[in-house]
């Protein structure tokens, strides 16, 4: 007996059915927005992640040397991969490029609620538009996907921010600030206490008084964003505030504004984010961590050797999303049932197989005996797979040129002429006879 690896999960049918329904809903929503599906490899060169995040990232990767002596890693995220793909065919692709994919990723990190070492995400990205409409469309897709899954505005919120507001405010202080480390501190602020948070800001270059002032600035509400422009006195913050307000205005037109809350404490820890960023949270607070996030990363394509190409995306993760759906009571049921079970009694396989094929050709889920079970054993199996209708093909029935149709919910059954089943009925049941 072998145990599964920590952080890697098995999905039996009772769980895989709902997961498939969630994935199908996410992808169907993306399709209605015009996103086209792509497929991507499970491994990339490790240097691609090291170049973007430094040598320390290797500790978080499933990294190894392959048989050709290449340093490779199982992909921990999709964004660098799609950036590489855009660069490879940048001149051939019509802009904006709108892509979607659902697949597993791997990170060697601490396993906790909603976080595993192998995890699944649906990634939705737009390349080639710097307009607020692109950011707003990503927000609208995410909102539609969640409402299509049965959630309401009372169940979730998008906390929206802008990386240039954060960076511009930090630049306004008379201090030698490591902006990258300060923004990472902001990203952690919800998970740590105030003293630890301020210590991280001080370590990034602010004084304790400046850290407290910076923290107060991040509490500014949407009606008072002009105060941030006045404090910073820079074009960078003014442009960022204008851009953020424009994105929220377009999100209103797209029907997503009601789900958005200004939250300058939202930073997104990855270094490649450049503009509007957002994270989805359980509005009740019962799911304590971010459900998923996204944002703009306008510099990444160029850093991969391509032409300057603005980009924005979002990546709902199935594990944390399932926590939100379960908390809200809208996690799908297993959903997979058997329409027909064709039960064989005696030497009737040829006729039973013909009925089975004909019902399947009409698009129904049909099972039949594969294990030479008794009549009772087959009936018990049909009940275990929630078969709606059992078609009994017995030797005595065939002597009468008939089959017996049994409704499993009521237990009622009757004999039906073989020529009439399935006959002209698209989905024949007991009630049709």
């Amino acid at each position: 007996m072998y145990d599964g690896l920590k952080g890697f999960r098995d999905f039996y049918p009772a769980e895989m059915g709902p997961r498939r329904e969630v994935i199908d809903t996410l992808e169907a929503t993306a399709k209605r927005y015009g996103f086209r599906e792509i497929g991507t490899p499970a491994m990339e060169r490790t240097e691609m992640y090291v170049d973007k995040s430094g040598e320390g990232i290797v500790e978080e990767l499933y990294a190894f040397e392959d048989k050709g002596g290449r340093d490779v890693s199982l992909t921990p995220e999709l964004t660098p991969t799609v950036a590489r793909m855009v660069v490879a065919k940048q001149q051939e692709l019509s802009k904006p490029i709108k892509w979607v994919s659902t697949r597993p990723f791997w990170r060697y990190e601490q396993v906790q609620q909603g976080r595993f070492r192998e995890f699944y995400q649906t990634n939705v990205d737009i390349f080639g538009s710097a307009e607020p409409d692109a950011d707003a469309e990503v927000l609208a897709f995410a909102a539609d996907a969640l409402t299509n899954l049965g959630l309401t505005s009372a169940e979730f919120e998008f906390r929206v921010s802008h990386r240039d507001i954060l960076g511009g405010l930090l630049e306004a202080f008379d201090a030698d600030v490591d902006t990258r480390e300060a923004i990472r501190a902001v990203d952690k602020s919800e998970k740590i206490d105030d003293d630890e948070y301020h210590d991280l800001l001080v370590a990034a270059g602010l004084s304790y008084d400046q850290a407290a002032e910076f923290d107060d600035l991040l509490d500014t509400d949407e009606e008072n964003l002009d105060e941030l422009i006045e404090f910073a006195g820079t074009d960078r913050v003014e442009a960022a505030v204008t851009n953020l307000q424009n994105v929220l205005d377009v999100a209103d037109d797209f029907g997503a504004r009601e789900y958005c809350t200004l939250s300058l404490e939202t930073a997104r820890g990855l270094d490649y984010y450049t503009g509007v960023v957002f994270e989805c949270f359980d509005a009740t607070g019962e799911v304590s961590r971010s459900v998923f996030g996204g944002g703009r990363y306008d510099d990444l394509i160029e850093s991969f050797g391509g032409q300057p190409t603005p980009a924005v995306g979002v990546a709902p993760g199935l594990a944390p999303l399932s926590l939100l759906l379960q908390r809200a009571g809208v996690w799908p049921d297993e959903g997979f049932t058997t329409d027909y079970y064709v039960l064989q009694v005696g030497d009737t396989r040829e006729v039973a197989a013909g009925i089975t094929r004909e019902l399947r050709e009409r698009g129904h889920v049909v099972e039949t005996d594969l294990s030479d079970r008794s009549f009772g054993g087959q009936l018990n199996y049909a009940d275990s797979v929630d078969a709606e209708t059992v078609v009994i093909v017995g030797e005595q029935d065939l002597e009468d040129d008939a089959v017996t149709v049994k409704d499993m919910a009521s237990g009622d059954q009757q004999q039906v002429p073989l020529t009439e089943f399935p006959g002209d009925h698209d989905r024949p049941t007991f009630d049709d006879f």
Side-chain angles (χ1 to χ4, degrees):
M1 181 66 184
Y2 298 98
D3 294 329
L5 294 173
K6 183 179 181 181
F8 292 74
R9 294 172 294 163
D10 302 312
F11 299 107
Y12 290 89
E15 188 173 2
M16 195 62 213
R19 285 173 59 84
R20 170 49 55 194
E21 187 171 335
V22 170
I23 292 170
D24 289 347
T25 299
L26 294 172
E27 292 180 340
T29 304
K31 185 176 181 180
R32 287 197 289 274
Y33 277 77
F35 290 93
R36 289 164 170 77
E37 186 176 16
I38 58 170
T40 56
M43 287 196 303
E44 295 278 8
R45 296 180 184 274
T46 301
E47 65 183 323
M48 188 165 76
Y49 305 108
V50 172
D51 287 348
K52 293 291 149 296
S53 304
E55 289 288 346
I57 190 66
V58 176
E59 295 300 315
E60 300 176 20
L61 303 178
Y62 279 89
F64 55 95
E65 183 179 293
D66 72 5
K67 293 183 179 180
R70 294 170 288 262
D71 291 326
V72 298
S73 296
L74 294 177
T75 49
E77 57 170 317
L78 191 67
T79 305
T81 294
V82 292
R84 176 183 59 73
M85 291 173 65
V86 168
V87 171
K89 294 195 173 184
Q90 193 162 17
Q91 302 307 315
E92 304 171 34
L93 298 168
S94 298
K95 312 298 188 300
I97 304 161
K98 299 171 68 174
W99 285 345
V100 59
S101 71
T102 302
R103 47 153 295 183
F105 299 92
W106 299 269
R107 281 184 182 271
Y108 192 82
E109 59 184 359
Q110 184 63 40
V111 177
Q112 53 186 283
Q113 184 187 44
R115 178 173 292 176
F116 300 90
R117 290 174 177 170
E118 180 181 57
F119 55 96
Y120 293 74
Q121 291 182 172
T122 295
N123 292 264
V124 170
D125 294 280
I126 300 174
F127 301 92
S129 173
E131 296 300 315
D133 304 59
D135 305 67
E137 178 156 299
V138 167
L139 286 164
F141 153 75
D144 279 355
L146 296 186
T147 55
N148 289 341
L149 287 165
L151 296 167
T152 68
S153 58
E155 306 291 355
F156 69 93
E157 64 176 350
F158 297 148
R159 299 180 187 175
V160 185
S161 182
H162 200 292
R163 287 288 286 264
D164 276 346
I165 294 178
L166 300 178
L169 292 176
L170 289 165
E171 287 177 353
F173 286 99
D174 183 19
D176 184 15
V177 182
D178 185 332
T179 302
R180 174 189 294 183
E181 290 304 316
I183 288 179
R184 286 179 178 172
V186 174
D187 184 55
K188 297 176 182 177
S189 62
E190 292 277 336
K191 310 176 186 72
I192 57 180
D193 61 39
D194 288 345
D195 288 342
E196 186 177 356
Y197 171 42
H198 287 173
D199 286 344
L200 290 175
L201 291 175
V202 169
L206 295 175
S207 69
Y208 278 103
D209 287 343
Q210 289 171 332
E213 185 177 8
F214 176 66
D215 195 22
D216 288 340
L217 289 169
L218 298 189
D219 282 335
T220 302
D221 58 30
E222 190 174 345
E223 288 71 25
N224 297 300
L225 284 174
D226 286 347
E227 295 178 5
L228 302 182
I229 299 174
E230 184 178 350
F231 172 83
T234 63
D235 292 341
R236 180 182 183 185
V237 172
E238 183 175 3
V241 167
T242 299
N243 178 246
L244 176 59
Q245 291 172 326
N246 288 340
V247 168
L248 293 174
D249 286 344
V250 180
D252 192 22
D253 294 337
F254 289 177
R257 181 64 181 88
E258 66 176 300
Y259 308 104
C260 299
T261 302
L262 178 69
S263 172
L264 296 180
E265 294 87 354
T266 297
R268 303 291 288 154
L270 295 172
D271 293 336
Y272 52 65
Y273 285 114
T274 58
V276 167
V277 291
F278 73 96
E279 292 185 341
C280 174
F281 279 86
D282 175 5
T284 71
E286 291 184 39
V287 180
S288 58
R289 57 166 297 187
S290 167
V291 178
F292 60 81
R296 183 163 283 281
Y297 50 100
D298 287 346
D299 298 336
L300 191 62
I301 301 299
E302 188 175 6
S303 74
F304 273 65
Q307 296 298 314
T309 304
V312 62
V314 63
L318 264 67
L321 179 56
S322 70
L323 295 178
L324 175 59
L325 296 174
Q326 290 165 11
R327 196 279 303 157
V330 293
W331 181 248
D333 295 328
E334 180 181 350
F336 189 89
T337 58
T338 299
D339 298 322
Y340 298 92
Y341 182 86
V342 180
L343 190 153
Q344 303 173 42
V345 182
D347 187 15
T348 62
R349 185 181 66 188
E350 183 177 350
V351 176
I355 293 172
T356 299
R357 288 199 310 275
E358 191 164 357
L359 289 170
R360 286 173 177 164
E361 287 168 359
R362 298 185 187 197
H364 305 307
V365 178
V366 188
E367 297 190 58
T368 191
D369 184 39
L370 303 176
S371 305
D372 196 24
R373 288 190 175 100
S374 66
F375 179 92
Q378 291 184 67
L379 206 58
N380 288 338
Y381 178 80
D383 186 53
S384 74
V385 295
D386 294 325
E388 179 183 345
T389 300
V390 169
V391 184
I392 302 170
V393 185
E395 291 176 331
Q396 292 184 353
D397 291 295
L398 293 185
E399 288 178 3
D400 297 330
D401 289 325
V403 294
T404 296
V405 177
K406 181 181 181 67
D407 180 81
M408 290 296 284
S410 66
D412 296 333
Q413 64 182 53
Q414 64 177 314
Q415 204 174 54
V416 176
L418 188 58
T419 56
E420 296 181 20
F421 193 93
D424 296 330
H425 302 284
D426 180 58
R427 196 177 189 281
T429 64
F430 173 85
D431 293 335
D432 292 313
F433 304 100

